[in-house]
Amino acid sequence: MPDASAVTAAVLDDLREESDELDLLVAGLSAHEWTVPTPAEGWTVAHQIAHLNWTDEVALVAAAEPDAFAAEVDRALAAPETFVDEAADEAVTALTPQALLVEWRAGRARLQEALRAAPAGTKLPWYGPPMSIASMATARLMETWAHGQDIADALGVTRKPTARLRHVARIGVRARDYAYVVRGLQPPVEQFRVELRGEDGGLSVYGPEDAAQRVTGPLLDFCLLVTQRAHRDDLAVEAVGPDAGQWLDIAQAFAGPAGSGRPPKADR
């Protein structure tokens, strides 16, 4: 079994690579392209990067000043439906695209440094349960990939899936019960079997092999589903069993309120 510190370092390496890939996508954009609307209602390309920068900054507060992070939670509780949008709007209003890009680069570098320096076994406060360093890095990677997908969709760019998607899938599977709870539903008692095929033919598997409830499909499609970047009707993810089917209708890999997701292509 790999050493825990080595696993954490590997996730942090993948987070850096995911961020660098998105950086390459936006670094050469024109001023107009930064204002292009993305599939997230009210958000431009600039809003997407502003959000990633803000989330990196609050994650840095959680890592470097955990006691001070309580103030961030209070702000979220005071305006649970709007605090994320307000933070993105504020940054887009205050900064030019190039200044925003500089801030995002510096912020994610500081976060990398802080997470790598954290002692083994550290638990960071967050908007939900405390997170390990590896879990925080996985969550940041998931968000970076998902918001990067919004930007790619807005620009008409097709991104090549990478092996880093296994992190997105893992957090999506682990968040299964949360998707039920956030909607006021009772999670299923039994575990599901999830089998996902990567672009390289490799298989990512979760849950007991003999589980009656099963989910199968391409790794990319499952990641698009659990980040709510595509509608289930437009993806090749399949369920066996009514509970597994219900989960695919509500799945979300992110914290916070239940998302509305994307409409099917046929309805756009």
Side-chain angles (χ1 to χ4, degrees):
M1 180 176 293
D3 177 76
S5 60
V7 171
T8 299
V11 179
L12 284 165
D13 288 345
D14 283 347
L15 169 59
R16 182 171 55 204
E17 290 179 11
E18 191 66 39
S19 300
D20 288 348
E21 185 176 291
L22 178 55
D23 195 313
L24 287 174
L25 179 59
V26 301
L29 295 182
S30 66
H32 168 71
E33 287 171 318
W34 280 90
T35 68
V36 170
T38 67
E41 185 176 356
W43 279 29
T44 64
V45 170
H47 282 87
Q48 300 286 350
I49 296 300
H51 173 70
L52 290 175
N53 179 59
W54 171 79
T55 317
D56 284 345
E57 291 293 344
V58 294
L60 182 61
V61 173
E65 304 175 82
D67 291 340
F69 184 75
E72 298 293 339
V73 175
D74 289 341
R75 277 191 280 270
L77 292 174
E81 301 294 336
T82 61
F83 81 103
V84 171
D85 288 336
E86 289 169 356
D89 283 337
E90 182 179 338
V92 170
T93 300
L95 299 172
T96 66
Q98 287 307 308
L100 179 58
L101 189 57
V102 168
E103 283 214 1
W104 177 47
R105 288 169 175 168
R108 69 184 200 247
R110 289 194 298 270
L111 180 60
Q112 277 273 342
E113 183 178 355
L115 294 181
R116 290 180 187 275
T122 296
K123 291 288 187 179
L124 304 179
W126 200 237
Y127 296 101
M131 303 176 75
S132 68
I133 300 301
S135 292
M136 176 64 79
T138 301
R140 298 305 312 123
L141 191 156
M142 179 272 295
E143 276 224 78
T144 301
W145 180 82
H147 289 285
Q149 187 63 42
D150 289 338
I151 292 172
D153 287 343
L155 299 174
V157 173
T158 299
R159 300 190 298 174
K160 182 179 180 180
T162 73
R164 296 188 297 271
L165 286 177
R166 69 190 187 278
H167 299 298
V168 181
R170 182 173 180 270
I171 201 170
V173 171
R174 289 172 62 87
R176 186 199 75 167
D177 288 1
Y178 177 81
Y180 284 87
V181 172
V182 77
R183 289 165 174 80
L185 302 173
Q186 182 67 34
V189 174
E190 63 182 300
Q191 297 184 58
F192 298 169
R193 176 72 167 183
V194 180
E195 299 181 353
L196 307 170
R197 300 183 306 276
E199 291 289 309
D200 60 358
L203 198 64
S204 296
V205 297
Y206 310 89
E209 189 173 0
D210 61 351
Q213 306 275 338
R214 309 176 73 85
V215 170
T216 60
L219 176 61
L220 172 61
D221 284 20
F222 181 79
C223 292
L224 290 168
L225 180 77
V226 298
T227 57
Q228 297 187 357
R229 262 53 189 185
H231 193 276
R232 180 183 176 184
D233 290 353
D234 300 321
L235 301 170
V237 182
E238 299 181 356
V240 173
D243 289 341
Q246 182 189 34
W247 176 45
L248 294 188
D249 286 334
I250 65 173
Q252 67 179 71
F254 49 88
S260 58
R262 305 280 189 261
K265 289 181 179 178
D267 295 345
R268 297 176 196 172

